[in-house]
Amino acid sequence: MASFLSFALLFCSLFALSWIWILLNFIWLKPAKIERILKHQGITGPPYKLLFGNLKESQILIDEALSKPINRSHQIVKRLEPFISEVHKTYGKIALSWLGPYARVSIMDPELVKEVLLNKFNHLEKVKINPLIELVAPGVALLDGEKWATHRRIINPAFHVEKLKRMLPSFYISSYTLIEKWRKLIGPDGSCELDVWPELHFLTADGISRTAFGSSYEDGMQIFELLNEQGRLFAQAGQSACIPGYRYFPTKDNHRRNEIDRRVRALLKDMIKKREKDMKMGQCTYNDLLGLLMESNLRDSQEQGRTSSSLSMTIEDVIEECKLFFFAGQETTAVLLTWTVIVLSMHPEWQDRAREEVLQFFGKAEPDIDGLNNLKTVTMILYEVLRLYPPVTFLVRSVLQETTIGGINFPSGVVLTLQTLHLNRDPGWWGDDAEEFKPERFAGGIAQACKNQGAFVPFGFGPRICLGQNFAMMEAKIALATILRYFSFELSPIYAHAPRAVLTHQPQHGAQIILHRF
């Protein structure tokens, strides 16, 4: 009995020591090793602080920046990313900082950005430091390796331009529904004041519900409301989300997150099962994203020699991709449209030019694909808004195993953040007017707008370039063209210019405008 107790005590002691070693390595030894390796290569930054890294000083600067609005200019970098701005100002265009115990190398070199996004070595992956993101925007956006390649191959046909043409009527219905709502709000003087941030949020949710789920539109709107709440809970998690295992803590918010996830999955599973039944009976149409995705999945499985009971993508995989449709197709387009309305309110001369172009090609007729492709001024405006107010202010990759990129040796575990917001405004690539709204810089297309292609990657670059970029631009063009045909707009006196980065780049206090019947 004594020997058994001794053995048990020894086992427990060894187990405890192993966990102490793992924890010590995680919070101190590994960060110290990475810091030493990068410092030898000239990559420096503020020193690592045990467990929290630079999170505390970063949060102090963010809280201070968000405490008050700024003037109505486009100089917003220090408000959105005050800590990173200070780091790069002090330590250069490639700098080290710390997200808790995770080493973050921030990059403002466009050539290095391109090399990272091309991912030639397969040693990089989409970062998953914050596990809560999987509840908001999972799917192909977070996958890597063979599974990413399979999903990408299956999803790609659904976003072909010819397939997107079929969705034009749904886009237009959503836009015109909003116009009818706004018309009813107009007072006797031909104007009204409203916050377009929630309005355009609802517009893009309506659009993605119609184009992604077609006849299941009402279920789609339920999913939108649930995922919208999930996004708010994600934003509230703040620094605590970086704590390993935080997602599984028995907190009230985590309970609600899991409940939302179960409800969303149940709704999507019912929709998918119904589509499968319709497909077997030959009653399924493929004019929405869900139908196109399931059609492509079936075709790919047949080409790969799989049976109908062993498809390339499982129901769970399809559910994850549908959740991504909502986030990427709804949230980011709403952000783009909101900032476009704000910016055109600041620059009425460009609003007038865009309206003149829209009326020239469409008049009061329903937009068509050829007309949308001819909207050069509208396209220039949208690109310039994407440059100044990108929906996502940086891109992230994690180093899977030690690799050399651009002559720099990055140890395993380093997080690379590609600072697109800063690159979009670098005078070295855009000229001395980099902080000004000048859509004409895109008159010759993206390639001629700046001195280096890596300085403007609104939809990413390389093999992981955003599949939905044509979808997003088409939706944004239709919505903006429809609004311009019926209304002019200006900023309300109560509008406070206060961009902030949450999950996406949002107006902190809303986007209040005065709408005039045109």
Side-chain angles (χ1 to χ4, degrees):
M1 183 67 178
S3 61
F4 174 78
L5 290 174
S6 298
F7 176 78
L9 184 61
L10 176 63
F11 176 80
C12 290
S13 299
L14 291 174
F15 183 78
L17 285 171
S18 66
W19 274 103
I20 291 172
W21 172 255
I22 290 171
L23 181 63
L24 181 64
N25 184 62
F26 178 68
I27 67 173
W28 184 254
L29 297 178
K30 186 175 181 180
K33 180 182 177 181
I34 290 175
E35 190 171 34
R36 185 170 59 252
I37 292 171
L38 293 174
K39 187 175 181 180
H40 285 328
Q41 300 177 85
I43 300 175
T44 58
Y48 171 67
K49 295 178 182 177
L50 189 65
L51 188 59
F52 290 99
N54 305 132
L55 285 174
K56 289 185 176 180
E57 53 261 55
S58 175
Q59 194 61 47
I60 289 171
L61 290 177
I62 290 171
D63 290 343
E64 182 182 350
L66 296 182
S67 66
K68 54 185 180 297
I70 57 176
N71 60 26
R72 293 181 180 182
S73 75
H74 306 304
Q75 297 179 7
I76 63 173
V77 174
K78 290 184 179 180
R79 189 176 203 277
L80 283 170
E81 296 182 347
F83 177 74
I84 288 297
S85 296
E86 289 299 315
V87 167
H88 281 291
K89 182 180 178 181
T90 305
Y91 299 100
K93 293 193 174 185
I94 304 175
L96 173 66
S97 59
W98 298 90
L99 292 164
Y102 299 98
R104 170 177 60 182
V105 175
S106 303
I107 299 171
M108 286 179 56
D109 179 333
E111 285 301 319
L112 190 54
V113 165
K114 285 194 295 185
E115 191 163 344
V116 169
L117 292 178
L118 284 171
N119 195 6
K120 300 174 184 177
F121 310 102
N122 295 320
H123 293 170
L124 306 179
E125 69 172 1
K126 295 300 284 291
V127 71
K128 302 180 184 70
I129 284 178
N130 187 339
L132 298 179
I133 191 65
E134 296 179 6
L135 298 175
V136 183
V140 70
L142 295 182
L143 294 176
D144 291 290
E146 184 178 344
K147 191 166 186 178
W148 168 80
T150 298
H151 281 225
R152 181 92 182 187
R153 184 179 68 243
I154 293 169
I155 297 168
N156 193 52
F159 287 95
H160 192 277
V161 173
E162 291 302 314
K163 301 288 179 67
L164 293 180
K165 285 181 182 179
R166 304 181 195 175
M167 301 177 195
L168 274 174
S170 296
F171 282 138
Y172 183 68
I173 290 171
S174 296
S175 299
Y176 197 75
T177 300
L178 181 73
I179 296 303
E180 287 297 296
K181 177 184 175 183
W182 286 1
R183 277 175 163 173
K184 293 175 183 177
L185 297 176
I186 296 291
D189 63 347
S191 65
C192 72
E193 182 174 311
L194 77 163
D195 183 354
V196 295
W197 170 234
E199 296 286 317
L200 295 173
H201 225 250
F202 188 86
L203 164 67
T204 54
D206 185 274
I208 198 68
S209 296
R210 294 178 190 276
T211 56
F213 303 116
S215 60
S216 302
Y217 165 74
E218 290 183 1
D219 287 341
M221 290 304 290
Q222 284 187 61
I223 294 168
F224 153 67
E225 291 169 0
L226 289 167
L227 288 181
N228 201 31
E229 183 182 352
Q230 193 77 282
R232 291 195 298 271
L233 289 171
F234 175 88
Q236 291 168 11
Q239 298 180 12
S240 56
C242 291
I243 299 173
Y246 174 78
R247 175 178 174 181
Y248 305 103
F249 288 11
T251 66
K252 180 181 177 181
D253 282 350
N254 276 343
H255 176 75
R256 180 57 182 162
R257 289 185 185 98
N258 293 330
E259 181 185 354
I260 291 171
D261 194 52
R262 284 192 295 270
R263 289 181 61 188
V264 168
R265 287 177 178 278
L267 284 166
L268 288 170
K269 185 172 285 189
D270 286 346
M271 292 163 61
I272 293 165
K273 288 288 189 182
K274 184 178 185 301
R275 288 300 180 91
E276 285 183 336
K277 182 179 178 181
D278 291 343
M279 288 171 69
K280 289 176 182 177
M281 297 176 65
Q283 298 175 354
C284 188
T285 58
Y286 303 110
N287 289 332
D288 58 35
L289 285 173
L290 178 58
L292 291 169
L293 176 60
M294 294 180 70
E295 176 193 33
S296 182
N297 189 26
L298 180 61
R299 185 189 308 113
D300 183 85
S301 298
Q302 292 170 344
E303 291 173 355
Q304 301 297 319
R306 295 173 179 265
T307 65
S308 58
S309 61
S310 179
L311 296 174
S312 299
M313 284 174 57
T314 66
I315 286 182
E316 288 301 313
D317 291 334
V318 176
I319 287 172
E320 296 299 288
E321 297 306 336
C322 287
K323 287 166 69 178
L324 180 62
F325 284 165
F326 260 97
F327 174 73
Q330 182 264 328
E331 176 71 18
T332 54
T333 310
V335 170
L336 171 58
L337 282 170
T338 299
W339 288 117
T340 300
V341 170
I342 291 171
V343 170
L344 289 181
S345 296
M346 294 178 175
H347 301 274
E349 71 282 6
W350 279 99
Q351 183 182 150
D352 292 341
R353 287 178 61 174
R355 181 178 296 103
E356 181 181 343
E357 180 182 67
V358 168
L359 292 174
Q360 175 187 346
F361 285 106
F362 297 132
K364 297 294 182 180
E366 183 176 330
D368 57 55
I369 192 67
D370 292 332
L372 290 175
N373 290 335
N374 284 320
L375 295 180
K376 305 302 181 185
T377 299
V378 168
T379 301
M380 284 159 38
I381 288 169
L382 290 173
Y383 279 140
E384 183 70 341
V385 173
L386 281 170
R387 183 182 75 85
L388 292 171
Y389 298 86
V392 179
T393 57
F394 57 85
L395 303 174
V396 189
R397 296 292 185 270
S398 180
V399 180
L400 277 175
Q401 62 186 75
E402 183 178 338
T403 188
T404 301
I405 305 175
I408 302 170
N409 178 255
F410 292 105
S412 171
V414 169
V415 176
L416 306 178
T417 61
L418 315 179
Q419 301 298 144
T420 54
L421 179 69
H422 291 76
L423 281 167
N424 287 356
R425 298 157 177 276
D426 190 330
W429 309 114
W430 298 93
D432 294 336
D433 59 0
E435 297 277 12
E436 298 177 29
F437 178 71
K438 289 194 170 183
E440 63 267 28
R441 72 176 84 243
F442 287 97
I446 293 176
Q448 297 181 31
C450 64
K451 298 177 182 178
N452 192 304
Q453 188 178 1
F456 186 65
V457 285
F459 298 103
F461 186 75
R464 298 196 74 128
I465 193 168
C466 177
L467 278 168
Q469 60 176 311
N470 291 329
F471 181 97
M473 289 298 288
M474 184 181 294
E475 185 177 22
K477 285 182 183 180
I478 289 176
L480 184 59
T482 307
I483 292 170
L484 286 168
R485 286 191 300 172
Y486 294 96
F487 302 102
S488 63
F489 38 89
E490 60 181 314
L491 289 178
S492 164
I494 69 169
Y495 169 72
H497 196 45
R500 68 168 177 175
V502 188
L503 194 56
T504 52
H505 177 186
Q506 305 172 3
Q508 183 179 356
H509 304 299
Q512 298 83 8
I513 65 166
I514 297 175
L515 200 65
H516 300 280
R517 184 188 296 115
F518 179 73

